[in-house]
Amino acid sequence: MSLHRTLIVFLAACAALAGSAQAQYVGPTTGPAAPANVAAILKNPVDDQAVVLRGNLLRKVGNEKYTFSDGTAEIRVDIDDKVFMNRKIDAKTRVEIRGEVEKDFMESPEIDVDVLTVVP
């Protein structure tokens, strides 16, 4: 095989690999449904499962730790100060939390909150 032809085959292979590395599927996906409420999370906690819940932060229980309730049950949530952003939120303020379930061995589950939004 000539050097010219070898170079063309090599460049074509590189282009094919580069094109596939850039591909991303952006359509809908199916999988297990996110739990609808705190009671469902506590009944079957799945580590790293994404959740979106609405309810209230009832009390602060530690450094960046709070008790959250959506009316079905209570769960501990971990909200970094940078996520809290110095907002004035009390037990009557309705919030939406987005995050993941954290289930460590021999510990009760909690939610690691990535986004905290005050909702009407």
Side-chain angles (χ1 to χ4, degrees), residues 26 47 49 64 94 102 107:
V26 295
D47 194 40
Q49 184 173 37
E64 299 183 341
R94 188 153 171 80
E102 295 296 324
E107 290 188 25

Side-chain angles (χ1 to χ4, degrees), residues 19-81:
S20 66
Q22 298 296 323
Q24 282 186 316
Y25 180 73
V26 295
T29 59
T30 59
N37 56 45
V38 174
I41 293 168
L42 295 174
K43 183 177 179 182
N44 183 30
V46 177
D47 194 40
D48 295 329
Q49 184 173 37
V51 294
V52 177
L53 300 165
R54 287 187 174 200
N56 301 81
L57 297 173
L58 302 180
R59 65 187 88 57
K60 185 171 185 171
V61 294
N63 184 35
E64 299 183 341
K65 305 280 186 180
Y66 302 85
T67 300
F68 173 85
S69 176
D70 64 354
T72 65
E74 295 180 4
I75 192 168
R76 188 176 58 250
V77 295
D78 184 347
I79 307 173
D80 291 342
D81 290 337

